mmCIF file of all heavy atoms in Angstrom:
data_model
loop_
_atom_site.group_PDB
_atom_site.id
_atom_site.type_symbol
_atom_site.label_atom_id
_atom_site.label_comp_id
_atom_site.label_asym_id
_atom_site.label_seq_id
_atom_site.Cartn_x
_atom_site.Cartn_y
_atom_site.Cartn_z
ATOM 1 N N GLN A 68 -13.488 2.402 0.503
ATOM 2 C CA GLN A 68 -13.663 3.385 1.504
ATOM 3 C C GLN A 68 -13.229 4.839 0.971
ATOM 4 O O GLN A 68 -13.781 5.813 1.105
ATOM 5 C CB GLN A 68 -12.988 3.177 2.827
ATOM 6 C CG GLN A 68 -13.436 1.854 3.496
ATOM 7 C CD GLN A 68 -12.816 1.530 4.807
ATOM 8 O OE1 GLN A 68 -11.622 1.895 4.996
ATOM 9 N NE2 GLN A 68 -13.435 0.779 5.787
ATOM 10 N N ARG A 71 -15.216 6.815 -1.453
ATOM 11 C CA ARG A 71 -16.451 7.487 -0.983
ATOM 12 C C ARG A 71 -16.255 9.017 -0.921
ATOM 13 O O ARG A 71 -17.163 9.722 -0.891
ATOM 14 C CB ARG A 71 -16.870 7.043 0.419
ATOM 15 C CG ARG A 71 -17.234 5.584 0.464
ATOM 16 C CD ARG A 71 -18.355 5.199 -0.462
ATOM 17 N NE ARG A 71 -19.557 6.042 -0.255
ATOM 18 C CZ ARG A 71 -20.568 5.845 0.609
ATOM 19 N NH1 ARG A 71 -20.471 4.650 1.363
ATOM 20 N NH2 ARG A 71 -21.568 6.626 0.758
ATOM 21 N N HIS A 72 -14.999 9.531 -0.969
ATOM 22 C CA HIS A 72 -14.648 10.940 -0.917
ATOM 23 C C HIS A 72 -14.734 11.377 -2.394
ATOM 24 O O HIS A 72 -13.767 11.051 -3.279
ATOM 25 C CB HIS A 72 -13.383 11.153 -0.347
ATOM 26 C CG HIS A 72 -13.350 10.762 1.090
ATOM 27 N ND1 HIS A 72 -13.574 11.576 2.124
ATOM 28 C CD2 HIS A 72 -13.029 9.541 1.560
ATOM 29 C CE1 HIS A 72 -13.611 10.861 3.242
ATOM 30 N NE2 HIS A 72 -13.355 9.716 2.902
ATOM 31 N N THR A 73 -15.810 12.003 -2.833
ATOM 32 C CA THR A 73 -16.105 12.133 -4.128
ATOM 33 C C THR A 73 -15.946 13.640 -4.691
ATOM 34 O O THR A 73 -15.368 13.841 -5.820
ATOM 35 C CB THR A 73 -17.610 11.760 -4.568
ATOM 36 O OG1 THR A 73 -18.456 12.568 -3.585
ATOM 37 C CG2 THR A 73 -17.787 10.330 -4.346
ATOM 38 N N VAL A 74 -16.284 14.563 -3.895
ATOM 39 C CA VAL A 74 -16.375 15.987 -4.250
ATOM 40 C C VAL A 74 -14.906 16.512 -4.565
ATOM 41 O O VAL A 74 -14.117 16.553 -3.581
ATOM 42 C CB VAL A 74 -17.218 16.832 -3.395
ATOM 43 C CG1 VAL A 74 -17.095 18.280 -3.726
ATOM 44 C CG2 VAL A 74 -18.686 16.355 -3.415
ATOM 45 N N GLY A 75 -14.649 16.906 -5.781
ATOM 46 C CA GLY A 75 -13.323 17.363 -6.105
ATOM 47 C C GLY A 75 -12.301 16.483 -6.337
ATOM 48 O O GLY A 75 -11.163 16.843 -6.621
ATOM 49 N N PHE A 76 -12.531 15.253 -6.544
ATOM 50 C CA PHE A 76 -11.612 14.273 -6.888
ATOM 51 C C PHE A 76 -11.670 13.689 -8.196
ATOM 52 O O PHE A 76 -12.895 13.386 -8.622
ATOM 53 C CB PHE A 76 -11.619 12.909 -5.893
ATOM 54 C CG PHE A 76 -11.183 13.254 -4.480
ATOM 55 C CD1 PHE A 76 -12.009 13.789 -3.525
ATOM 56 C CD2 PHE A 76 -9.839 13.075 -4.168
ATOM 57 C CE1 PHE A 76 -11.661 14.045 -2.294
ATOM 58 C CE2 PHE A 76 -9.389 13.247 -2.851
ATOM 59 C CZ PHE A 76 -10.314 13.821 -1.972
ATOM 60 N N ARG A 171 -10.152 17.679 3.877
ATOM 61 C CA ARG A 171 -11.427 17.022 4.375
ATOM 62 C C ARG A 171 -11.271 15.585 4.489
ATOM 63 O O ARG A 171 -11.734 14.986 5.448
ATOM 64 C CB ARG A 171 -12.532 17.408 3.248
ATOM 65 C CG ARG A 171 -13.779 17.299 3.840
ATOM 66 C CD ARG A 171 -14.866 17.900 2.793
ATOM 67 N NE ARG A 171 -14.750 17.236 1.548
ATOM 68 C CZ ARG A 171 -14.817 17.924 0.319
ATOM 69 N NH1 ARG A 171 -15.157 19.143 0.226
ATOM 70 N NH2 ARG A 171 -14.653 17.205 -0.806
ATOM 71 N N GLU A 175 -11.400 13.185 8.103
ATOM 72 C CA GLU A 175 -12.272 12.092 8.355
ATOM 73 C C GLU A 175 -11.561 10.764 8.592
ATOM 74 O O GLU A 175 -11.862 9.989 9.498
ATOM 75 C CB GLU A 175 -13.241 11.947 7.126
ATOM 76 C CG GLU A 175 -14.357 13.001 7.310
ATOM 77 C CD GLU A 175 -15.494 12.673 6.222
ATOM 78 O OE1 GLU A 175 -15.695 11.363 5.931
ATOM 79 O OE2 GLU A 175 -16.186 13.562 5.790
ATOM 80 N N ARG A 176 -10.521 10.498 7.689
ATOM 81 C CA ARG A 176 -9.993 9.111 7.801
ATOM 82 C C ARG A 176 -8.781 9.030 8.603
ATOM 83 O O ARG A 176 -8.093 7.948 8.739
ATOM 84 C CB ARG A 176 -9.587 8.773 6.309
ATOM 85 C CG ARG A 176 -10.758 8.664 5.394
ATOM 86 C CD ARG A 176 -11.730 7.716 5.833
ATOM 87 N NE ARG A 176 -12.889 7.609 4.892
ATOM 88 C CZ ARG A 176 -13.839 6.786 4.921
ATOM 89 N NH1 ARG A 176 -13.824 5.888 5.945
ATOM 90 N NH2 ARG A 176 -14.798 6.688 4.073
ATOM 91 N N ASP A 180 -11.847 6.324 14.853
ATOM 92 C CA ASP A 180 -12.850 5.347 14.363
ATOM 93 C C ASP A 180 -12.734 4.984 12.999
ATOM 94 O O ASP A 180 -13.477 4.146 12.509
ATOM 95 C CB ASP A 180 -14.284 6.059 14.653
ATOM 96 C CG ASP A 180 -14.594 7.238 13.998
ATOM 97 O OD1 ASP A 180 -13.560 7.833 13.399
ATOM 98 O OD2 ASP A 180 -15.677 7.665 13.713
ATOM 99 N N ALA A 181 -11.809 5.485 12.344
ATOM 100 C CA ALA A 181 -11.529 5.038 10.874
ATOM 101 C C ALA A 181 -10.720 3.831 10.933
ATOM 102 O O ALA A 181 -9.856 3.624 11.885
ATOM 103 C CB ALA A 181 -10.795 6.179 10.027
ATOM 104 N N GLN A 182 -10.890 2.940 9.902
ATOM 105 C CA GLN A 182 -10.102 1.719 9.936
ATOM 106 C C GLN A 182 -8.587 1.834 9.801
ATOM 107 O O GLN A 182 -8.120 2.748 9.119
ATOM 108 C CB GLN A 182 -10.576 0.771 8.701
ATOM 109 C CG GLN A 182 -9.904 -0.492 8.490
ATOM 110 C CD GLN A 182 -10.532 -1.581 7.744
ATOM 111 O OE1 GLN A 182 -11.729 -1.357 7.344
ATOM 112 N NE2 GLN A 182 -9.793 -2.673 7.501
HETATM 113 C C1 FAD B 301 -15.336 6.281 10.158
HETATM 114 C C2 FAD B 301 -16.200 6.275 8.871
HETATM 115 C C3 FAD B 301 -17.196 5.273 8.760
HETATM 116 C C4 FAD B 301 -17.980 5.079 7.686
HETATM 117 N N1 FAD B 301 -18.883 4.195 7.551
HETATM 118 C C5 FAD B 301 -19.661 4.099 6.538
HETATM 119 C C6 FAD B 301 -20.748 3.039 6.287
HETATM 120 O O1 FAD B 301 -20.838 2.207 7.283
HETATM 121 N N2 FAD B 301 -21.419 3.082 5.145
HETATM 122 C C7 FAD B 301 -21.343 4.042 4.257
HETATM 123 O O2 FAD B 301 -22.132 3.981 3.240
HETATM 124 N N3 FAD B 301 -20.402 5.011 4.322
HETATM 125 C C8 FAD B 301 -19.640 5.197 5.434
HETATM 126 N N4 FAD B 301 -18.631 6.193 5.628
HETATM 127 C C9 FAD B 301 -18.647 7.053 4.424
HETATM 128 C C10 FAD B 301 -19.179 8.392 4.722
HETATM 129 O O3 FAD B 301 -20.601 8.290 4.882
HETATM 130 C C11 FAD B 301 -18.941 9.396 3.602
HETATM 131 O O4 FAD B 301 -19.504 8.936 2.354
HETATM 132 C C12 FAD B 301 -17.520 9.569 3.417
HETATM 133 O O5 FAD B 301 -16.831 9.773 4.569
HETATM 134 C C13 FAD B 301 -17.210 10.743 2.463
HETATM 135 O O6 FAD B 301 -17.455 11.960 3.043
HETATM 136 P P1 FAD B 301 -18.158 13.149 2.314
HETATM 137 O O7 FAD B 301 -19.690 12.639 2.007
HETATM 138 O O8 FAD B 301 -18.114 14.300 3.178
HETATM 139 O O9 FAD B 301 -17.341 13.249 1.098
HETATM 140 P P2 FAD B 301 -17.706 13.913 -0.392
HETATM 141 O O10 FAD B 301 -18.665 12.925 -1.077
HETATM 142 O O11 FAD B 301 -16.423 14.119 -1.040
HETATM 143 O O12 FAD B 301 -18.456 15.170 -0.028
HETATM 144 C C14 FAD B 301 -17.712 16.412 0.465
HETATM 145 C C15 FAD B 301 -18.900 17.373 1.006
HETATM 146 O O13 FAD B 301 -19.544 17.896 -0.048
HETATM 147 C C16 FAD B 301 -20.961 18.173 0.333
HETATM 148 N N5 FAD B 301 -21.804 17.325 -0.524
HETATM 149 C C17 FAD B 301 -21.455 16.317 -1.155
HETATM 150 N N6 FAD B 301 -22.491 15.706 -1.904
HETATM 151 C C18 FAD B 301 -23.495 16.703 -1.803
HETATM 152 C C19 FAD B 301 -24.845 16.729 -2.205
HETATM 153 N N7 FAD B 301 -25.403 15.900 -2.996
HETATM 154 N N8 FAD B 301 -25.560 17.876 -1.872
HETATM 155 C C20 FAD B 301 -25.052 18.743 -0.968
HETATM 156 N N9 FAD B 301 -23.857 18.726 -0.411
HETATM 157 C C21 FAD B 301 -23.059 17.654 -0.855
HETATM 158 C C22 FAD B 301 -20.985 17.611 1.795
HETATM 159 O O14 FAD B 301 -20.765 18.699 2.627
HETATM 160 C C23 FAD B 301 -19.892 16.651 2.061
HETATM 161 O O15 FAD B 301 -19.377 16.631 3.290
HETATM 162 C C24 FAD B 301 -17.791 6.197 6.662
HETATM 163 C C25 FAD B 301 -16.951 7.239 6.759
HETATM 164 C C26 FAD B 301 -16.146 7.136 7.935
HETATM 165 C C27 FAD B 301 -15.026 8.376 8.050
#
Side-chain angles (χ1 to χ4, degrees):
Q68 295 180 334
R71 296 304 304 276
H72 299 271
T73 55
V74 174
F76 288 87
R171 201 172 52 218
E175 283 191 25
R176 296 299 183 175
D180 62 342
Q182 177 159 353

